[in-house]
Amino acid sequence: MQVYTKTSAKSSVVHIGLDDTDSTRGKCTTHAAYRITDYLLNHKFSEFVDYPLLIRLNPNIPWKTRGNGAVCLRFRTAYHEDVLDRLMDLVDHERLVASGANPGIAVYCGESIPPSIQSFARKALYDVVSRKMAEELAKRHQIRFFIDGNGQGLVGSIAAIGTLLQEDHTFEAVAYRKQEKCGTLRKLDSAQVVQYDTETFPYTFNNYDRSHHRVLILPHGPDPVFCGIRGESAEIVVSALRKLQISEKLEGHMVFRTNQGTNQHLQNEMGFADIKCYTAGFSQCRVDSRPTVIEGGHAIFSVRDPVGAVVNAAVYEPTDLVNIAAKLEVGDVIKIGFGVRKPSSKHLRILNVEYLQVLETKEIFETVNPICLTCNKRMKSEGMNKGFRCHKCGSRNKDAKKILILKPRMIETRLFVPTPRAHRHLTKPVHRYGMEKSLRSTSAITLCPAWFSKT
Ligand code: ATP
């Protein structure tokens, strides 16, 4: 592991960014953050000035392992040199960072985060940023960093430090398993999940997918996370966790403040002309070709932006939005949130649609035969320019013409989001629209007493 020990300016707030760390208990950056937090709280050197932040970065990065998560811990201490030395001992001794992954740990000391680190973090949410750019920032702002493998973890660790999350955010209480339990089946009574979901929704969310009868709070891998409960405040996610009465003896829990469930990666409006692969954003555009449903049940159609650039878009089967997308017609005005998929030998560059808002539907007319004036039935054509005849009463009308009628559009003008089981971490559930919150400043945060526990 390379260790850079440039001395930082003296300051009382320490910001630690972690990404792609690999603990001996399984692979999970949030668990490494849990162990470091435990250490910091135990040694009473430090007072946390914010909840640990769990930041989901650009979900379209091809080299991510799972949810492209990075963590930032911010605490005030009078002895930060001392704390950092001990922290590095801990990282080494506990092997919180093991080889095999590409971990990054970055440490910045300062009362506030410089704007250039904040804009780097904003870019890392929807674009691909280079490790070189991260290294330059580190040099410029005297960020100490520790990297291994290809060093790519530095990007996420600095991006986590640069994300203040003063805009919309949510919370997640993550419960951790004891080491000996990792890799064994997680036992949970799904009826209890349904019950606390009923009691706490919409203040907790993505607990249970009622249409597919699936518990959503359990991961499936061998990692140390037992479950994660998402919601609107630290208090509600901890109280929901307690309602679960988990029988397995756990290591403890920690509450993260997070950008999960906020669509934070889709805030950038994009034109289609020079769109880059792996980026994410939104566009208000027009449907340019009628959707076709291809093998696998996905809907493919093209969209045209306001300056006329056209690109293909895909709505995938697991989102449960294909039936909606299939009803779009050329000329409909829609807003889509999307990630840009790399072109392959089989497909051109394509937008993977993450939400679909139907703003305006085009009037569609169809031509039909005229109605018989005697018996009110639709007449049949007698042939080109020969008029129409009623098959019921036999009356003829040589001058009757085909008529145009407005086709009923079976699509509502509203927002459609994927079904919960197809949600990515950043996907904003439909019920959260209107529930967005913001902070005046991070100094306005008072941590709830139960945000951390160790059993
Ligand atoms: P885990 O859940 O195990 O932490 P993950 O899905 O979060 O896995 P990582 O293993 O952390 O994925 O890998 C993501 C890698 O991509 C990290 O090295 C991170 O620094 C880097 N990365 C994240 N966002 C960007 C970005 N916008 N541009 C370039 N690299 C990025």
Side-chain angles (χ1 to χ4, degrees), residues 172-315:
E172 178 164 356
V174 181
Y176 295 102
R177 317 184 79 180
K178 290 200 179 281
Q179 187 174 2
E180 60 274 16
K181 284 288 184 184
C182 293
T184 65
L185 196 71
R186 294 167 177 86
K187 288 190 192 136
L188 194 63
D189 180 359
S190 59
Q192 281 181 358
V193 180
V194 175
Q195 189 177 335
Y196 88 72
D197 180 64
T198 310
E199 286 167 14
T200 57
F201 183 84
Y203 303 105
T204 71
F205 57 88
N206 285 11
N207 299 306
Y208 191 77
D209 182 348
R210 285 168 197 258
S211 17
H212 303 93
H213 307 287
R214 261 183 65 174
V215 171
L216 300 173
I217 62 172
L218 298 180
H220 299 289
D223 57 90
V225 173
F226 181 85
C227 69
I229 299 182
R230 295 169 183 201
E232 300 298 327
S233 72
E235 289 81 0
I236 194 89
V237 290
V238 171
S239 91
L241 184 62
R242 287 185 175 145
K243 282 179 190 189
L244 262 184
Q245 297 168 11
I246 299 162
S247 58
E248 181 176 318
K249 204 154 170 45
L250 297 172
E251 185 178 0
H253 75 255
M254 183 156 90
V255 174
F256 292 86
R257 205 160 71 79
T258 165
N259 60 354
Q260 293 172 158
T262 65
N263 274 359
Q264 202 189 15
H265 64 311
L266 300 178
Q267 303 307 311
N268 203 37
E269 185 160 12
M270 289 193 186
F272 301 149
D274 45 11
I275 211 156
K276 278 169 42 195
C277 55
Y278 307 135
T279 57
F282 78 90
S283 174
Q284 188 165 315
C285 49
R286 279 184 193 273
V287 175
D288 198 58
S289 70
R290 279 189 82 183
T292 47
V293 178
I294 61 164
E295 201 185 322
H298 317 302
I300 310 286
F301 56 105
S302 62
V303 280
R304 179 181 292 270
D305 74 9
V307 296
V310 176
V311 68
N312 279 336
V315 171

